[in-house]
Amino acid sequence: MMSGPLSGKTIVVGVTGSIAAFKAPQIVTRLVGQGANVVVIMTENATRFVTPLTFETLSGNAVVVDMFPDRNTGVTSLEDAASRPERLRHVHLAEATDLAIVAPATANIIGKMANGVADDFLSTELLAMTCPTIMAPAMNVRMMESDVVRENVEKLKARGVIFAEAEVGRLASGVVGKGRLADPESIAGIALELLLPKQDLVGRRVVVSAGPTREPVDPVRFIGNRSSGKMGYALAERALRRGGDVVLVSGPSSLEPPHGVEYIRVETAVEMLGAVMKSFAEADLLIMAAAPADYRPAEPSDVKIKKTTDRLTLELVRTDDILSEAAGARREGQGIVGFALETNAELEEGRRKLAEKDLDIIVVNNPLVDDAGFDTDTNVAAILTRSGRELELAKMPKKDLADVILTEAINELGWGQRR
């Protein structure tokens, strides 16, 4: 295997039944040249355009086509792929894969993946994989522009699938339009960028808060909110991926913290304040993505409150504003990113809070917008900066939004590329 920047990375390249399949060997060649271990999975229709032997020769791995090894199709199976190259032995392909690329991606495979269909080896593996996936469509322009293909593409984008957009050119039908497979060099470049992300937070300590807080009413009841922590956890994962030394301060959440972060679990707003302030004292950046309670019971009961009356009155007192406390205590060079959840006049409220709380950046979103509320995997947000930059963003996966927020913070603070 060649050495290179992708050494140690396993990339699955899925090839489907399109005339554009003749370009897929170029993608494999470029990835292998970067040191990647490339495993090719072909649909049976793809083998009518390019032979499995071509990919086997280029990748050095057996090509997987048939779901079952006992069919006499003249092509190899996963059993062959696991027994022939030593580096794949006893390793489940889906678990071993760092990146999946489907090129060319037909309307058929896009529809299968969007709707959870797993009726051949490629669609089954795509459903089982949790790694990043690149889809490179290639099809007739009328298919590309059809409502159902557009809907399926949007479904996959919302789930975080990356699309290497088709190019405009002369298609197999002779029609000129959008539908040509993206340039193989461009597809390989996207793979390189995904597997070797920018390391622009190396040497920086980043504190991220996430999730809700629970303010006890009595030993069994509490005041809380619907925050899932997904945005904060995505920020912690992406900051870690970009080389940061990350502290995740989280309220109650069912999410698993990213491996490699310093994880601090808290329950109440008071506990979150203490953990954030202690961690931020030695940090470069605070991203306050948590949703701590604004109020807490003034005197929580030590015993369960009995249901003895038709009405129960609770006296609530305000909790400390963690963002304001952090801004008041920060030293020169420290950055702060805040979040504002607003249901009307979002930008106006965002600008007010940005100035009032002395923040470098504020991220504003409206939970009433479709796919932008609590416990969603996507968000629709606007980013406002101290320097006056305002970005109104389209719906995107929270992990992608996390990268946008981090990039804006790095630019706003003037850190630039560190290494």
Side-chain angles (χ1 to χ4, degrees):
M1 186 188 300
M2 294 184 181
S3 61
L6 294 180
S7 293
K9 300 294 185 182
T10 294
I11 300 177
V12 163
V13 175
V15 184
T16 64
S18 163
I19 186 63
F22 80 92
K23 293 183 180 179
Q26 300 175 50
I27 301 170
V28 172
T29 299
R30 283 164 171 75
L31 296 173
V32 171
Q34 296 284 351
N37 174 36
V38 179
V39 179
V40 177
I41 302 176
M42 302 179 72
T43 64
E44 289 198 32
N45 285 343
T47 65
R48 296 176 180 269
F49 294 95
V50 184
T51 67
L53 181 60
T54 299
F55 291 110
E56 183 171 336
T57 302
L58 294 174
S59 69
N61 282 325
V63 174
V64 186
V65 179
D66 190 16
M67 179 80 80
F68 304 102
D70 57 345
R71 286 184 59 193
N72 185 20
T73 59
V75 293
T76 53
S77 66
L78 180 59
E79 183 175 288
D80 300 316
S83 62
R84 292 168 66 181
E86 181 67 28
R87 56 185 170 273
L88 288 181
R89 185 171 295 168
H90 307 309
V91 179
H92 189 283
L93 190 54
E95 295 175 352
T97 303
D98 298 291
L99 175 69
I101 302 173
V102 183
T106 58
N108 186 43
I109 194 67
I110 290 172
K112 286 182 182 181
M113 191 174 178
N115 295 286
V117 177
D119 61 357
D120 61 9
F121 197 88
L122 178 57
S123 57
T124 300
E125 285 299 301
L126 290 172
L127 195 61
M129 288 174 178
T130 57
C131 62
T133 300
I134 300 170
M135 302 287 278
M139 66 191 77
N140 178 275
V141 63
R142 290 185 179 179
M143 297 174 71
M144 183 75 72
E145 294 177 351
S146 69
D147 289 343
V148 67
V149 170
R150 287 174 180 267
E151 289 170 7
N152 287 333
V153 167
E154 288 305 312
K155 278 185 185 180
L156 292 178
K157 284 183 176 179
R159 295 176 197 162
V161 174
I162 297 97
F163 276 77
E165 296 296 339
E167 298 176 352
V168 175
R170 183 172 295 278
L171 307 178
S173 63
V175 174
V176 175
K178 184 176 180 180
R180 290 181 59 177
L181 183 71
D183 180 67
E185 190 70 45
S186 174
I187 296 170
I190 296 172
L192 197 67
E193 185 177 319
L194 284 172
L195 292 174
L196 298 174
K198 293 181 289 186
Q199 294 291 287
D200 46 11
L201 286 174
V202 171
R204 300 290 186 184
R205 188 166 175 82
V206 181
V207 178
V208 180
S209 70
T213 62
R214 293 176 177 176
E215 310 304 322
V217 174
D218 61 23
V220 298
R221 302 181 181 91
F222 61 84
I223 295 173
N225 59 55
R226 296 168 53 201
S227 173
S228 65
K230 286 184 177 181
M231 190 70 247
Y233 279 62
L235 281 158
E237 188 270 327
R238 290 305 169 103
L240 185 71
R241 187 178 176 190
R242 292 169 75 154
D245 176 17
V246 181
V247 180
L248 176 59
V249 179
S250 177
S253 173
S254 62
L255 302 175
E256 287 291 325
H259 179 71
V261 304
E262 179 183 337
Y263 180 63
I264 302 174
R265 169 75 177 239
V266 298
E267 285 280 332
T268 67
V270 170
E271 291 175 356
M272 183 170 283
L273 172 64
V276 166
M277 295 300 290
K278 182 177 180 180
S279 301
F280 185 48
E282 302 299 326
D284 299 287
L285 177 64
L286 168 64
I287 306 178
M288 193 68 193
D294 294 321
Y295 292 88
R296 60 179 176 82
E299 296 182 2
S301 174
D302 292 332
V303 297
K304 180 182 176 182
I305 299 172
K306 299 296 184 181
K307 189 167 57 176
T308 56
T309 62
D310 292 335
R311 293 176 178 269
L312 175 66
T313 300
L314 291 176
E315 182 183 0
L316 303 179
V317 295
R318 286 191 62 174
T319 58
D320 291 324
D321 188 303
I322 301 176
L323 270 177
S324 297
E325 294 288 332
R330 70 169 161 181
R331 50 181 168 76
E332 185 177 354
Q334 287 182 305
I336 301 180
V337 176
F339 278 70
L341 196 70
E342 303 293 340
T343 55
N344 64 294
E346 299 99 319
L347 293 182
E348 291 83 352
E349 280 299 298
R351 295 184 193 107
R352 181 184 67 79
K353 289 183 177 180
L354 178 72
E356 183 181 279
K357 295 178 184 291
D358 191 26
L359 308 177
D360 297 288
I361 287 177
I362 193 163
V363 182
V364 184
N365 70 299
N366 186 335
L368 302 182
V369 174
D370 289 343
D371 300 320
F374 292 111
D375 205 26
T376 62
D377 292 321
T378 58
N379 209 341
V380 180
I383 299 176
L384 315 180
T385 71
R386 184 193 294 271
S387 62
R389 182 169 164 79
E390 296 189 358
L391 288 81
E392 293 188 58
L393 303 171
K395 182 178 73 174
M396 64 178 68
K398 286 181 176 177
K399 288 188 176 182
D400 290 349
L401 177 58
D403 266 326
V404 176
I405 294 168
L406 290 169
T407 296
E408 288 300 316
I410 288 166
N411 291 338
E412 184 68 17
L413 296 168
W415 292 348
Q417 296 289 332
R418 290 182 55 83
R419 292 185 186 178

